[in-house]
Amino acid sequence: MRLLLTISFMLLFIGSIVAQPAGRRSKSTVYSASGEWQKITLQPAASGSSTPSAPVVQPNPSASQPNNPTSQPITPTTQPTESVVRTEPKPASTAPTTMPSSGFRPAFTGDFVTNRNGWKAGNKGDYNYQIGMGRYSIRKRKASTRQVAFSYVSLPNDINLNRDDAFTIKVDVMADSGRVPTGGLLFGVKDSLNFCAFTLNSKGETSIIRVTNGEAYGDYMPGDFFAPGVPVEKNRDRLTIRRNKESLSFYVNEQEVRGSPYAFKTLPGNGVGLITDASWTTFQKLTVTVGTSPSDPPPTPVSLPVTRPTTTSRSASPTLTTATNVSTVAANPPTKNDVASSTSALVTATRPETSANKPTNITFSELFADNQNKWLVGQTGGYEFEVAKSSYFIRKTSASTSRAGYGYINLPTALDLNKAESFTITVDMIVPPGIQPNAGLVIGVNDEDNLCEFRVADRQKVIVKSLRNGLSSPTYMPGKPIPARVPINQETNTLMIQKRNKKLYFYVNNREVESSPYEFKPFSGNKIGFVSAAQAVKFQNLKVVK
């Protein structure tokens, strides 16, 4: 009897396996590796299928209907991360999204349909602020007022204009029919005394200004209105600000204005806003996006003619290279992490694709990643000169030496300081702890007896000197230590020399020294470099912008 029951059980088990429908058979597992911004999903696929392009067939939950399965494409159970920037809100897609190579781009949108972001509204001071119908309108309530309408909000935590090395801010500015809009963008806002602004006036001129503690500085975004060199329309204009690493570019109607880009410097805050002093101004389509987009119009790098040096003397011409991956010219030196270690000098000309007639900004940047530009190295005249660790070192080797040490190179022909209507030269100068600063820049150098020198003499004084045949003039850059009247740090200082309006300006840490400016007089040469009488000093991030 037991044997009969065992045989019957075995027969029933084998029969159930044979009768199992094909749709219920076990299947192999196919692993599908999705894009960077999507999670990995698992899809069951029929083994031995002769039609690989057919949708995967999900098993029918009902075992009683094996011959009539229900089929549909399998979609991920989790939505892909929403990281494509859109200027207008769109419903989330249920299908996997192909992400652009630029990566995650969080966006802030001032749609002005509602006041969800907390903009200034109602009657405030001498202006009325009104939000609705996708517009932010600002009207002057008192015609004689000298107040400026100023409204801003803080950006969300996932957008940080100082941390993010690429961002775009846009807004449309509108005026009464037949008039050029007046007003523009606020960015990097901390409060009404610390902010940056990019604005238009009724004459079609633009202004780029940085205000710190209620004051603007003439050496960086001074705030003067100027002809932008691009068309400005009546009724409506779009203002755009783009950061790309260490450069900050400004556009009117997607055409880069004259003088752009500027060096990116740490912004006072993380707010954005709007400003105007017109009788009526309306703003639309304010957006802030992080990252770069294929639709962004970057300037086109253009290499300049170059003759490679054949000598090793300190007066040899620098090696010029064009970085193929640079989309904008930085008006401030990029950090060593931003540039390949094999590239120590970069000369490019910015020429926006949208404006063939725009003046170019020519930039020379020395990062001291190597010595391609043939700086003086070794020991001579009581000093040791060395290019190392992204710096140019000058160390005193003889305590008895009374002369200063000089190291310099030729600038490229395209950066002729005598022919340039304006230029800016900056460098970071660092001395060891406990060492008195006594070093600086030399420009317009022919040799050590014919040059222009700007040196920090100590914590209180600077030296501005012009030498011709080894002699200085008692009435023009005499070369005597004079009070700087600006703060000089113990270890790190940024020196800057600017030429504009036929004058030379001298700055320490973005503050103009007491004796500046001086009348510009033609230099004896076109070399640039450094001077030191300190025990040790190093220079970093040398930048020349014409």
Side-chain angles (χ1 to χ4, degrees), residues 265-309:
K265 298 184 180 181
T266 302
L267 301 172
N270 199 45
V272 295
L274 306 162
I275 185 171
T276 184
D277 63 354
S279 297
W280 177 83
T281 307
T282 289
F283 300 92
Q284 284 186 317
K285 300 178 181 179
L286 172 64
T287 61
V288 182
T289 56
V290 174
T292 58
S293 168
S295 62
D296 293 344
T300 303
V302 179
S303 59
L304 297 173
V306 55
T307 302
R308 192 172 184 85

Side-chain angles (χ1 to χ4, degrees), residues 224-237:
D224 298 328
F225 278 96
F226 61 93
V230 299
V232 177
E233 305 294 336
K234 295 180 180 179
N235 305 329
R236 177 192 290 262
D237 290 282

Side-chain angles (χ1 to χ4, degrees), residues 169-176 178-185 198-206 228 230-241 251-255 257 274 280-286:
I169 307 172
K170 295 182 180 182
V171 75
D172 287 357
V173 190
M174 295 183 294
D176 289 323
R179 295 185 179 182
V180 174
T182 296
L185 273 169
F198 177 36
T199 58
L200 291 170
N201 66 13
S202 59
K203 298 178 181 178
E205 299 171 326
T206 54
V230 299
V232 177
E233 305 294 336
K234 295 180 180 179
N235 305 329
R236 177 192 290 262
D237 290 282
R238 171 164 290 184
L239 303 184
T240 304
I241 303 169
Y251 302 82
V252 175
N253 300 321
E254 298 302 333
Q255 297 192 52
V257 304
L274 306 162
W280 177 83
T281 307
T282 289
F283 300 92
Q284 284 186 317
K285 300 178 181 179
L286 172 64

Side-chain angles (χ1 to χ4, degrees), residues 176-383:
D176 289 323
S177 179
R179 295 185 179 182
V180 174
T182 296
L185 273 169
L186 298 168
F187 64 102
V189 183
K190 179 182 178 182
D191 51 40
S192 60
L193 297 178
N194 297 272
F195 62 90
C196 299
F198 177 36
T199 58
L200 291 170
N201 66 13
S202 59
K203 298 178 181 178
E205 299 171 326
T206 54
S207 169
I208 301 170
I209 190 170
R210 179 188 177 102
V211 176
T212 304
N213 296 326
E215 295 184 3
Y217 295 93
D219 60 309
Y220 180 71
M221 298 185 183
D224 298 328
F225 278 96
F226 61 93
V230 299
V232 177
E233 305 294 336
K234 295 180 180 179
N235 305 329
R236 177 192 290 262
D237 290 282
R238 171 164 290 184
L239 303 184
T240 304
I241 303 169
R242 288 192 178 94
R243 177 186 177 184
N244 192 318
K245 294 185 178 179
E246 301 303 319
S247 68
L248 202 58
S249 301
F250 298 84
Y251 302 82
V252 175
N253 300 321
E254 298 302 333
Q255 297 192 52
E256 193 172 7
V257 304
R258 186 169 57 191
S260 173
Y262 284 78
F264 177 82
K265 298 184 180 181
T266 302
L267 301 172
N270 199 45
V272 295
L274 306 162
I275 185 171
T276 184
D277 63 354
S279 297
W280 177 83
T281 307
T282 289
F283 300 92
Q284 284 186 317
K285 300 178 181 179
L286 172 64
T287 61
V288 182
T289 56
V290 174
T292 58
S293 168
S295 62
D296 293 344
T300 303
V302 179
S303 59
L304 297 173
V306 55
T307 302
R308 192 172 184 85
T310 57
T311 67
T312 58
S313 69
R314 63 184 173 192
S315 62
S317 298
T319 300
L320 309 183
T321 60
T322 300
T324 57
N325 61 342
V326 176
S327 59
T328 60
V329 170
N332 219 24
T335 64
K336 60 183 178 182
N337 295 327
D338 296 331
V339 181
S341 60
S342 62
T343 303
S344 65
L346 170 65
V347 176
T348 54
T350 60
R351 188 169 288 119
E353 298 174 351
T354 54
S355 177
N357 297 323
K358 182 183 180 297
T360 60
N361 284 340
I362 303 173
T363 301
F364 171 82
S365 180
E366 172 63 278
L367 305 177
F368 301 110
D370 49 41
N371 195 19
Q372 290 190 27
N373 290 325
K374 306 302 180 184
W375 290 88
L376 173 66
V377 294
Q379 294 189 13
T380 182
Y383 289 88

